[in-house]
Amino acid sequence: MHQQKSHLQEFLVKYFSNKELDGLYISVFLKTLAESLIAIFIPIYLLTLNYTLTDIAMYFLIFSTTLAIIMPLTMKLNYILGVKKTIALGTFVLIIYYYLLNYLNKGISYPILAFIAGVSTAIYFSGFHIEFTRSAIKKQEASELSILNILVLIPSILGPLIGAILISKTSFNFLFILAAIILFISVIPLLLKKDFKERVKKIPLKKFI
């Protein structure tokens, strides 16, 4: 038993001693939790507003198309703003998306929301991949990637369960506000670390399609 604790302690010290990645770990965990609270319920939310299954399919088509087209363009932001600020910008655009969800059918249409969601995802991941690649220790990259996957998996499982309970007790609007607050907090660990700029060569659109 003592030996198992020793191995666990050694593992935690080894793979959570990279301060740059620690900030990213916390940020990713919180962002995934915020998104998992809502993502699975977006189609249900659209249905409650009397949108059809065709509308929902179009929503995801617009989202995917926007992501594929915008992603190569957003890579330049990592040199203009900095990698961490680019990740933060993508998160803030997502907060705007959640805010506007409250106004769906009140002047905001679903194609606009799908477009904003696609832009947010493109901006975020254009910086995220660079941040992880630069911060990871080469000899430990596989293990650090495994930890990252675990930190995505846990909130991905818990998020929908928590979201379902909250929706049954409160409302979709409350869930949108809660997710926005968690997203805002998720940016803080990143912005506490020194930012850097990365010039990325032009990437062919085919790579993202």
Side-chain angles (χ1 to χ4, degrees):
M1 186 70 176
H2 177 72
Q3 192 174 15
Q4 287 180 335
K5 285 185 178 179
S6 178
H7 285 312
L8 177 60
Q9 191 175 33
E10 184 181 341
F11 174 84
L12 292 175
V13 170
K14 184 177 181 180
Y15 294 108
F16 285 91
S17 59
N18 185 338
K19 292 183 179 180
E20 286 297 324
L21 267 188
D22 287 348
L24 186 63
Y25 285 155
I26 296 170
S27 181
V28 167
F29 180 87
L30 291 173
K31 182 176 184 291
T32 305
L33 177 61
E35 290 185 291
S36 298
L37 287 172
I38 293 177
I40 196 173
F41 301 111
I42 292 295
I44 298 172
Y45 179 63
L46 292 173
L47 288 172
T48 62
L49 295 177
N50 297 319
Y51 284 100
T52 65
L53 291 176
T54 301
D55 291 329
I56 293 172
M58 282 299 298
Y59 171 92
F60 286 106
L61 177 61
I62 294 169
F63 167 80
S64 300
T65 303
T66 301
L67 176 59
I69 294 173
I70 296 295
M71 176 70 90
L73 303 177
T74 59
M75 301 302 285
K76 291 183 179 180
L77 291 173
N78 293 287
Y79 181 73
I80 297 170
L81 300 177
V83 174
K84 289 181 173 64
K85 290 185 182 70
T86 297
I87 296 173
L89 177 61
T91 304
F92 286 134
V93 174
L94 187 58
I95 291 174
I96 293 171
Y97 164 78
Y98 285 147
Y99 174 77
L100 292 177
L101 275 172
N102 291 292
Y103 296 94
L104 191 57
N105 275 2
K106 298 175 185 176
I108 299 292
S109 60
Y110 77 84
I112 294 174
L113 285 174
F115 174 78
I116 294 173
V119 170
S120 166
T121 304
I123 294 173
Y124 179 86
F125 280 105
S126 72
F128 170 82
H129 291 300
I130 296 173
E131 172 70 9
F132 180 80
T133 303
R134 279 285 298 267
S135 300
I137 298 172
K138 296 303 178 184
K139 293 181 180 179
Q140 300 175 183
E141 192 168 341
S143 298
E144 289 171 339
L145 183 58
S146 297
I147 292 171
L148 188 65
N149 288 333
I150 292 170
L151 292 174
V152 168
L153 179 62
I154 293 172
S156 295
I157 294 172
L158 295 178
L161 297 175
I162 297 171
I165 293 171
L166 290 175
I167 287 175
S168 66
K169 301 292 183 181
T170 57
S171 65
F172 279 109
N173 289 346
F174 175 82
L175 206 58
F176 297 153
I177 294 171
L178 178 61
I181 292 171
I182 295 173
L183 283 172
F184 181 80
I185 295 172
S186 76
V187 171
I188 297 174
L190 285 175
L191 297 182
L192 289 176
K193 303 294 181 181
K194 186 178 179 181
D195 202 356
F196 63 93
K197 295 183 177 182
E198 183 89 1
R199 188 184 293 276
V200 181
K201 294 180 180 180
K202 187 176 180 181
I203 300 175
L205 182 58
K206 291 180 180 179
K207 189 170 182 179
F208 297 97
I209 299 178

